[in-house]
Amino acid sequence: MSAKTLYDKIWDAHVAHEAEDGTCLLYIDRHLVHEVTSPQAFEGLRMTGRKVHAPDKTIAVPDHNVPTTAGREDPAQMTEESRIQVEALDKNAKEFGVHYYPVSDVRQGIVHIVGPEQGWTLPGMTVVCGDSHTATHGAFGALAHGIGTSEVEHVLATQTLIQKKSKNMKVEITGKLKPGVTAKDITLAVIGETGTAGGTGYVIEYCGEAIRDLSMEGRMTVCNMAIEGGARAGLIAPDETTFEYVKGRPHAPKGAQWEAALAWWKTLYTDEGAHFDKVITLKGEDIQPVVTWGTSPEDVLPITAVVPSPSDFEGGKVDAAARSIDYMGLTPGQKLTDIEIDTVFIGSCTNGRIEDLRAVAEIVKGKKIKDGMRAMIVPGSGLVRAQAEEEGLSDIFEAAGFEWRLAGCSMCLAMNPDQLAENERCASTSNRNFEGRQGYKGRTHLVSPAMAAAAALTGHLTDVRDMI
Amino acid sequence: MEKFEKLHGIAAPMPLVNIDTDMIIPKVFLKSIQRTGFGANLFDEMRFNRDGTEIPDFVLNKPQYRNAEILVAGDNFGCGSSREHAPWAIADFGIKCVISTSFADIFFNNCFKNGILPIVLPQEQVDILMGDAEKGENARMTVDLEAQEITTSDGQVIPFDVDAFKKHCLLEGLDDIGLTMEKKGAIDAFEAQAEQARPWV
């Protein structure tokens, strides 16, 4: 038998049907659902008289629209349209009998944080969701990717997706990371290297010592942004770190089933000599704390750099860079550390887990955020929030001047009331710096949680290495 | 889904690279629970001022491109979110074909589910079509999916590739779910085998 990659192995284990031209029906083990991309899919089922094929493998949670302020059970806190979407999910989850975590449930949170937290996401699975950041679940060695609403309906009705196989790409991060450098810096540095279309047509496997050394939470941060690199999915082979994280979670296998699962999971690695169509290698020790300066996640530079000039680029990127620099209100040659910040947002499926909050607490403990700064911390789930409170992190945040919010997607995409005003500038731990992403004419600089914390204290983009 | 007929229409040039899904349809418009009506807000922040007046420089506001049915776009069109509202908005506006050197994966798939043909071509050929599109409304391109050919306004023929299955579904306006349900036997058999092999799932 020829050598296989991790992707090949998971793919092969899930092909329910293959046509002569290679078009496959890929069986889906877990389907995660949220309120924004699902109402039309459930409506489609209703109109055609179809049922959900596997309600036990379908998990729904509202996250994009929900307010993050106290008293949010009061529907008056939502706009009429948001309330209708959340209520539609309540109704659809009940009518079609899928697992559901409503806003009032302490387990509610961002779908990509809830899935792993509850043990729905397991190694070797296929996981889809009507959300591009489904890539997050690849951290477990699960083939996980975003789908559109038509595909959501297709999975609800058939538990399969019509797919053709992607190509294999390896991203290796060798060696050790330097102090102050995090999983977020790795994933941004990779996109800076490959560009936002560098992964198009590929599934990425991240490997190498620096990846192995990451916790599960760090690995989720890395895989989360595989989509910003254009890849269909990102994967990391499961190992003891993975098994340790999964064990004992509410929906993880137990007893004899755990042993059987573990035996299979331990076969999920890329065989010696397996073929990759594209390989990228970065040295862990070369990666620095990074920040984005523009309006594409590929606009990445080390914090020690200066704003580039459009003439530094080639082809279509010259005009795009000029447009970005203008939109962001920057000047070529300006030091990144001189860029003043109005707002700090810490949260999202990229960086809304407990370790992210601990990293922030470490920087801000006993200090105060800059006068006039708006700074909010939005935990990724109700359970992350509860744990942070138990560990005393929320006390540290509130003493420093942060707003301590309830769980949701919040200002990552600003579909709820958490938004930037025109020209407001934000250091954000989220995943996209597109024009208008965090609010109309809002300006976003993507950073790690530690870097966001540093900026909150100083009022400008800051090299966190100067604070540790 | 509507069948994709041979298209003879105006092409609008959008040479900007990395046009993302937030540009195509900003999130404030994702709150509908319908599939229709998104065309009015296609490219909203590029197309309209905050007070709702049009930005005259934006390509689809120019008189010669208001009825465009084809977009010729810069690299990596449709990057970002999985929102199908992006192709819904494009289709609702009346655009049936987008041509670029590359598309983001999820957007590309979403197009086919909504009767839109995304065509990938090498840079030199996109440059030719961009030049043709810049001629305005007198320059009508023809996109023939059956023959897999684009014909420029001056008669130059550019062939393109398309996945055979996706082509078949577009030409016939087929519903994916109906097709998959015909393979119910294979899905049931897979489930039975997977239940044995991986009972913890």
Side-chain angles (χ1 to χ4, degrees):
Chain A
M1 207 170 63
S2 61
K4 288 181 175 185
T5 64
L6 171 59
Y7 171 50
D8 297 338
K9 289 180 181 180
I10 303 173
W11 174 273
D12 289 348
H14 289 86
V15 175
H17 180 270
E18 182 164 359
E20 278 176 18
D21 71 345
T23 303
C24 291
L25 280 183
L26 194 70
Y27 192 81
I28 302 304
D29 293 325
R30 292 284 180 267
H31 186 190
L32 309 174
V33 175
H34 67 79
E35 79 277 18
V36 177
T37 57
S38 69
Q40 295 89 349
F42 282 112
E43 189 58 23
L45 293 186
R46 221 174 265 122
M47 282 163 60
T48 47
R50 290 169 176 148
K51 293 194 170 79
V52 174
H53 181 88
D56 261 1
K57 295 174 179 170
T58 311
I59 299 98
V61 57
D63 57 5
H64 282 56
N65 271 301
V66 297
T68 58
T69 39
R72 64 179 179 178
E73 301 77 19
D74 176 7
Q77 281 212 18
M78 280 190 243
T79 63
E80 175 76 359
E81 291 163 312
S82 290
R83 190 181 54 71
I84 289 171
Q85 269 191 341
V86 173
E87 286 176 358
L89 189 65
D90 287 342
K91 174 172 170 272
N92 289 329
K94 199 170 170 187
E95 182 180 331
F96 290 93
V98 306
H99 297 282
Y100 189 49
Y101 302 103
V103 174
S104 57
D105 193 311
V106 70
R107 298 167 296 179
Q108 178 272 344
I110 306 171
V111 64
H112 307 308
I113 290 189
V114 173
E117 203 168 65
Q118 292 301 317
W120 290 115
T121 308
L122 299 172
M125 281 184 162
T126 46
V127 180
V128 296
C129 175
D131 188 278
S132 56
H133 290 106
T134 311
T136 312
H137 308 265
F140 293 80
L143 176 59
H145 58 87
I147 54 177
T149 298
S150 295
E151 291 180 316
V152 169
E153 187 178 340
H154 192 279
V155 177
L156 288 172
T158 70
Q159 206 58 26
T160 64
L161 262 189
I162 300 172
Q163 290 275 292
K164 271 201 173 162
K165 201 174 169 199
S166 303
K167 290 181 281 187
N168 280 288
M169 175 167 169
K170 175 159 97 171
V171 173
E172 185 176 19
I173 315 293
T174 61
K176 301 272 181 202
L177 298 180
K178 294 244 170 93
V181 179
T182 68
K184 183 66 166 287
D185 301 297
I186 293 180
T187 204
L188 282 171
V190 170
I191 298 162
E193 184 75 19
T194 63
T196 50
T200 303
Y202 295 92
V203 165
I204 294 174
E205 181 176 347
Y206 298 95
C207 60
E209 186 183 358
I211 298 291
R212 283 282 138 238
D213 284 352
L214 292 174
S215 68
M216 278 318 293
E217 299 200 354
R219 294 180 189 185
M220 285 189 252
T221 300
V222 170
C223 288
N224 172 275
M225 292 191 70
I227 184 68
E228 272 68 40
R232 174 164 296 178
L235 286 171
I236 295 173
D239 59 11
E240 290 303 324
T241 304
T242 321
F243 309 143
E244 184 63 30
Y245 179 97
V246 168
K247 195 169 189 180
R249 300 217 167 240
H251 296 279
K254 315 236 163 9
Q257 290 217 347
W258 170 262
E259 295 305 326
L262 198 59
W264 187 57
W265 296 344
K266 287 182 175 174
T267 68
L268 298 176
Y269 54 83
T270 291
D271 296 330
E272 192 77 34
H275 175 72
F276 284 94
D277 303 281
K278 187 171 179 177
V279 177
I280 302 279
T281 306
L282 296 184
K283 288 183 185 165
E285 55 271 24
D286 287 351
I287 299 175
Q288 297 186 54
V290 291
V291 52
T292 62
W293 54 268
T295 56
S296 166
E298 70 191 16
D299 299 338
V300 174
L301 283 171
I303 182 64
T304 49
V306 299
V307 175
S309 160
S311 60
D312 297 340
F313 298 92
E314 289 176 356
K317 192 68 187 172
V318 177
D319 287 346
R323 183 183 169 97
S324 287
I325 290 165
D326 178 56
Y327 179 89
M328 293 294 290
L330 300 173
T331 313
Q334 181 180 8
K335 286 168 82 174
L336 293 174
T337 48
D338 285 345
I339 296 173
E340 291 189 4
I341 295 296
D342 307 305
T343 294
V344 167
F345 170 69
I346 292 164
S348 85
C349 58
T350 315
N351 283 128
R353 286 168 287 265
I354 191 71
E355 289 174 16
D356 299 316
L357 304 192
R358 288 180 191 143
V360 173
E362 207 168 297
I363 302 293
V364 305
K365 188 172 186 177
K367 300 190 175 124
K368 292 272 184 204
I369 61 170
K370 175 91 174 172
D371 272 352
M373 172 76 64
R374 170 160 79 130
M376 68 168 86
I377 300 183
V378 183
S381 73
L383 292 178
V384 170
R385 181 179 156 94
Q387 189 173 350
E389 289 179 350
E390 199 178 297
E391 293 182 13
L393 306 183
S394 54
D395 296 335
I396 294 171
F397 300 148
E398 288 182 314
F402 285 91
E403 295 175 50
W404 176 236
R405 296 296 191 88
L406 300 174
C409 298
S410 181
M411 202 191 272
C412 174
L413 85 166
M415 272 192 82
N416 77 346
D418 307 335
Q419 301 182 6
L420 293 182
E422 278 187 50
N423 299 336
E424 193 175 350
R425 189 182 295 282
C426 180
S428 178
T429 67
S430 56
N431 42 55
R432 289 198 177 124
N433 51 353
F434 295 158
E435 290 180 17
R437 172 76 177 183
Q438 296 193 291
Y440 181 75
K441 302 276 182 209
R443 295 163 170 169
T444 303
H445 296 277
L446 302 176
V447 288
S448 73
M451 289 279 283
L457 297 178
T458 63
H460 54 85
L461 293 177
T462 298
D463 190 339
V464 70
R465 291 173 296 191
D466 298 341
M467 292 190 173
I468 55 177
Chain B
M1 192 171 77
E2 268 183 51
K3 291 183 183 183
F4 188 94
E5 310 280 357
K6 188 168 168 178
L7 183 60
H8 180 66
I10 299 163
M14 287 192 78
L16 188 65
V17 300
N18 295 331
I19 291 177
D20 60 64
T21 51
D22 277 86
M23 286 178 176
I24 297 171
I25 183 85
K27 72 261 162 189
V28 288
F29 304 110
L30 305 190
K31 296 190 177 183
S32 168
I33 58 172
Q34 313 292 325
R35 283 177 197 255
T36 51
F38 295 101
N41 304 106
L42 175 67
F43 297 117
D44 194 85
E45 290 178 9
M46 303 167 95
R47 197 168 140 205
F48 300 108
N49 292 306
R50 214 69 221 274
D51 62 8
T53 55
E54 289 185 0
I55 298 170
D57 283 350
F58 182 68
V59 61
L60 297 178
N61 288 334
K62 293 180 183 171
Q64 63 270 38
Y65 295 114
R66 300 183 86 93
N67 296 314
E69 292 177 277
I70 301 164
L71 273 186
V72 186
D75 308 344
N76 199 27
F77 188 86
C79 58
S81 132
S82 66
R83 61 186 69 158
E84 199 159 319
H85 312 68
W88 290 339
I90 289 171
D92 196 50
F93 182 88
I95 290 167
K96 301 181 180 77
C97 176
V98 187
I99 300 166
S100 177
T101 56
S102 60
F103 292 89
D105 189 49
I106 306 175
F107 175 84
F108 186 77
N109 283 326
N110 282 342
C111 281
F112 285 99
K113 316 285 182 195
N114 293 283
I116 302 167
L117 173 63
I119 299 176
V120 180
L121 289 172
Q123 186 71 56
E124 310 79 70
Q125 294 181 330
V126 171
D127 289 345
I128 292 168
L129 295 172
M130 193 72 76
D132 198 41
E134 277 161 3
K135 291 179 189 165
E137 66 185 323
N138 294 321
R140 288 177 175 250
M141 268 179 218
T142 304
V143 178
D144 185 341
L145 175 56
E146 181 72 55
Q148 295 184 212
E149 283 175 354
I150 303 168
T151 308
T152 63
S153 61
D154 52 10
Q156 191 173 350
V157 175
I158 295 175
F160 62 87
D161 283 334
V162 59
D163 178 90
F165 175 73
K166 290 189 164 100
K167 173 181 175 179
H168 173 66
C169 290
L170 265 188
L171 284 173
E172 300 299 325
L174 295 176
D175 160 30
D176 278 351
I177 298 177
L179 287 176
T180 297
M181 286 198 148
E182 290 171 10
K183 303 198 179 73
K184 186 172 183 306
I187 297 171
D188 289 347
F190 179 88
E191 275 185 329
Q193 168 261 316
E195 174 63 31
Q196 292 289 317
R198 297 189 295 278
W200 60 86
V201 175

